[in-house]
Amino acid sequence: MALRIHNTLTGTADELVPGGARRERIEDYPPVTIYSCGPTVYGYAHIGNFRTFIFNDFLRRYLKFRGYRIDHAMNITDVDDKTIAGATEEGITLAEYTGRYTAIFLEDLKTLNIEPVEHMPKATESIEAMIDIIQRLREKGIVYNKEGSLYFSIARFENYGKLSRLDTREIKTGLRYDTDSYEKDDVRDFALWKVEKEGETSWETPFGRGRPGWHIECSAMIRRIFGTTIDIHTGGVDLIFPHHENEIAQSEAAYGEQFVRHWIHVEHLLVNGSKMSKSLGNFYTLRDLLEKGYSPRSIRYLLISAHYRKQLNFTLEGIGQADQALERIDNLIVRLNDIRKDGRPGPNLQKMVDSLLLGFAEAVDDDLNISKGLGVFFEFIHALNTLISNDRLNRPDADLAMEALVKIDAVLGVIFFKTTAKSDIDPAWVDSMIAERIAARKDRNFKRADEIRTILTEKGIILEDTKEGTRWKTKG
Ligand code: AMP
Ligand code: ZN
């Protein structure tokens, strides 16, 4: 039985072969190297973003369940057009601005029971690695300079377009191009390095002061952390073109070796048929939903339970259905805990547990088909309930069943959910509410701004608007 996952690069469900050479046993493989494009920290991530981040978490948990070792990085994009614009607008430094939203993001990950990854690099900490790539590309004659900014000339990279397999005509005629910047020779090209602009954060380099383009950041962080070809790169489908196409072009042109073996892309979370996105304004942040009283556990369940290559339409009813599924599991746990009957573990139950774990793995090995895996899991729950109703389970059997739930939950992270509900005031949460209030006032949404003040007042938090910004303190 082998784990096969759809690979955007080949268009087929490919066997996972960490390190690129097939081994006899899973434990003989080197750790699976994974890179996931992380958030751009210029605001709250919405739950569409969290669909992708929860998928990344599910992927790493499942690989561990199957016995693989993991070496996983997810970056924080802390310099780009949007973060710079946000910091400038508020009149604070880029680091202060991105620091605030990074803290909020980390808190949200915890709330959703997303495991910490092995590396969480920030783009601004990898400038040296970016310089290295750009210098190599310059030596190879792939870069041109236009008014101080450096561009990658895609006409000089033969394999451009191999990931997205976009109609080459579309790329060639500039019908599809990177909208990141316009001052280039050819619309198809993309900025590697942007010349310094008055008042913007910039870095000194052998090719002048400036700041990185977005795409170079991920290529640089991957090089710095992993050094060479990595096994898996993930992101939402919107990143296939141009972001991932450009990452491949830069890295493969600079180092002359394969960049990534396996590309995995997550389909979008939709709202009424359109992608949930900040620009469309049709999004919920995690905190929006928590404030409405939905639990992070149900949100996680909803987002994890759909197959990653299928679009998922988000509705509040969907969270209700997730609640019901979780209730079935919780009820079973209550019943298992109540079993007192003595005895020896029966062979039946061991068989049931074995076939649960095998059936679950078989289902999920097939392109991470979690929906099918959950089907197998709920059959197990149904069978257990029948046994309990017929009084055919003793205490050791119940313990065995609980152990099986723990094993499945190592992948799902929804059953023994550590609640992170705060009894006391969490400063990161208060800061995030204040940030939202500032944004609401800027948008002249005074109703929302007042609402936030009321929510905070109810929790005993007093706001003071000063020239230096908004301060807060607790009553008494
Ligand atoms: P961003 O912060 O915009 O760079 O996005 C972070 C991650 O969320 C990327 O991997 C995106 O592809 C992904 N993403 C953005 N919108 C959605 C959505 N509606 N559904 C699923 N993933 C999304
Ligand atoms: Zn990226």
Side-chain angles (χ1 to χ4, degrees):
M1 200 168 65
L3 169 58
R4 290 184 173 276
I5 309 176
H6 182 85
N7 184 352
T8 314
L9 187 63
T10 58
T12 52
D14 295 345
E15 189 180 331
L16 181 68
V17 182
R22 199 166 269 111
R23 311 279 170 100
E24 265 308 294
R25 301 172 314 166
I26 288 180
E27 51 274 35
D28 295 336
Y29 279 112
V32 187
T33 46
I34 312 173
Y35 181 88
S36 303
C37 288
T40 307
V41 279
Y42 71 106
Y44 294 68
H46 55 68
I47 57 160
N49 301 131
F50 284 116
R51 179 181 191 191
T52 294
F53 299 134
I54 286 177
F55 167 78
N56 294 335
D57 188 51
F58 158 62
L59 172 67
R60 59 174 281 126
R61 284 165 175 264
Y62 185 65
L63 292 177
K64 287 198 279 183
F65 173 87
R66 290 287 276 107
Y68 294 97
R69 287 169 294 149
I70 303 286
D71 197 13
H72 188 181
M74 180 175 73
N75 75 295
I76 300 284
T77 300
D78 62 347
V79 52
D80 81 323
D81 295 346
K82 288 177 277 197
T83 45
I84 289 179
T88 310
E89 210 174 300
E90 283 192 33
I92 54 177
T93 64
L94 182 62
E96 280 171 320
Y97 183 81
T98 57
R100 178 204 299 157
Y101 289 111
T102 304
I104 291 169
F105 178 68
L106 295 180
E107 189 68 34
D108 285 355
L109 292 184
K110 239 197 262 166
T111 304
L112 287 169
N113 200 19
I114 293 175
E115 285 185 351
V117 292
E118 284 69 24
H119 315 266
M120 207 180 246
K122 291 182 182 148
T124 52
E125 292 164 357
S126 297
I127 303 288
E128 281 301 313
M130 298 178 206
I131 294 175
D132 186 60
I133 298 177
I134 295 173
Q135 290 291 57
R136 284 166 188 267
L137 294 175
R138 287 175 81 203
E139 280 159 23
K140 293 183 176 170
I142 298 173
V143 178
Y144 63 87
N145 183 320
K146 192 107 195 266
E147 290 157 24
S149 293
L150 300 184
Y151 295 90
F152 185 102
S153 169
I154 69 162
R156 296 196 211 137
F157 180 66
E158 201 188 349
N159 281 327
Y160 194 84
K162 70 175 174 181
L163 181 72
S164 52
R165 268 174 262 118
L166 279 176
D167 187 333
T168 34
R169 264 174 323 174
E170 280 189 294
I171 299 178
K172 278 196 184 129
T173 55
L175 270 175
R176 294 290 296 262
Y177 57 87
D178 189 347
T179 51
D180 180 41
S181 179
Y182 292 99
E183 316 98 7
K184 45 205 174 186
D185 271 355
D186 184 326
V187 285
R188 302 171 299 161
D189 297 337
F190 59 92
L192 293 162
W193 193 258
K194 299 181 174 184
V195 70
E196 177 184 30
K197 273 198 201 141
E198 178 85 29
E200 280 184 7
T201 308
S202 60
W203 287 264
E204 192 58 51
T205 73
F207 33 81
R209 277 198 83 83
R211 63 173 176 98
W214 171 37
H215 314 298
I216 192 79
E217 298 181 1
C218 289
S219 285
M221 287 182 268
I222 290 174
R223 187 75 192 176
R224 182 164 72 81
I225 292 168
F226 299 111
T228 180
T229 312
I230 61 167
D231 294 310
I232 297 177
H233 193 316
T234 74
V237 286
D238 54 316
L239 299 188
I240 299 175
F241 182 86
H243 184 50
H244 290 162
E245 201 70 78
N246 292 350
E247 280 186 38
I248 294 176
Q250 297 156 160
S251 294
E252 297 196 350
Y255 299 106
E257 60 183 25
Q258 186 173 13
F259 178 46
V260 173
R261 276 185 269 275
H262 217 124
W263 287 89
I264 305 177
H265 289 103
V266 183
E267 260 300 345
H268 283 147
L269 186 68
L270 307 182
V271 181
N272 295 327
S274 308
K275 176 191 170 193
M276 181 178 284
S277 72
K278 283 202 181 137
S279 52
L280 290 176
N282 61 351
F283 63 93
Y284 286 100
T285 65
L286 177 61
R287 285 154 206 244
D288 290 336
L289 294 176
L290 301 186
E291 268 178 39
K292 284 180 190 288
Y294 296 99
S295 81
R297 185 183 178 214
S298 316
I299 297 166
R300 179 178 170 99
Y301 184 92
L302 172 67
L303 295 179
I304 210 172
S305 59
H307 189 261
Y308 77 101
R309 288 215 292 137
K310 293 209 172 96
Q311 295 181 331
L312 174 64
N313 200 40
F314 176 77
T315 57
L316 296 175
E317 294 80 66
I319 306 185
Q321 284 157 14
D323 272 336
Q324 284 170 13
L326 289 169
E327 209 178 305
R328 275 180 72 191
I329 303 174
D330 292 346
N331 287 341
L332 171 72
I333 292 174
V334 171
R335 295 184 86 190
L336 285 174
N337 283 335
D338 278 350
I339 293 173
R340 295 277 167 273
K341 200 162 79 172
D342 273 346
R344 294 159 62 97
N348 248 346
L349 204 80
Q350 186 61 55
K351 237 194 259 163
M352 271 171 64
V353 167
D354 290 346
S355 79
L356 162 72
L357 297 176
L358 196 72
F360 182 77
E362 252 168 23
V364 184
D365 269 5
D366 177 12
D367 196 18
L368 303 169
N369 194 337
I370 187 63
S371 333
K372 206 163 145 203
L374 284 171
V376 173
F377 181 46
F378 277 100
E379 270 171 33
F380 174 76
I381 290 176
H382 179 74
L384 276 183
N385 273 323
T386 312
L387 287 177
I388 298 172
S389 299
N390 295 333
D391 195 24
R392 287 186 43 213
L393 233 52
N394 59 31
R395 190 61 245 159
D397 286 335
D399 289 340
L400 205 61
M402 284 294 264
E403 275 171 37
L405 297 188
V406 170
K407 282 188 184 147
I408 295 292
D409 198 45
V411 180
L412 302 177
V414 296
I415 303 177
F416 305 100
F417 196 86
K418 288 174 247 66
T419 171
T420 46
K422 295 279 182 321
S423 54
D424 284 315
I425 292 156
D426 173 11
W429 176 77
V430 179
D431 288 343
S432 69
M433 292 300 278
I434 291 175
E436 197 189 334
R437 180 166 164 267
I438 291 169
R441 287 161 108 196
K442 210 162 272 159
D443 289 339
R444 310 194 64 75
N445 185 351
F446 298 111
K447 186 166 158 275
R448 179 65 186 150
D450 286 345
E451 249 170 46
I452 292 171
R453 184 187 274 275
T454 310
I455 293 169
L456 292 172
T457 312
E458 278 168 4
K459 292 204 183 281
I461 294 157
I462 301 165
L463 298 185
E464 278 180 336
D465 290 317
T466 70
K467 269 202 205 108
E468 284 77 43
T470 304
R471 291 211 206 104
W472 63 274
K473 59 181 184 192
T474 46
K475 251 185 240 166

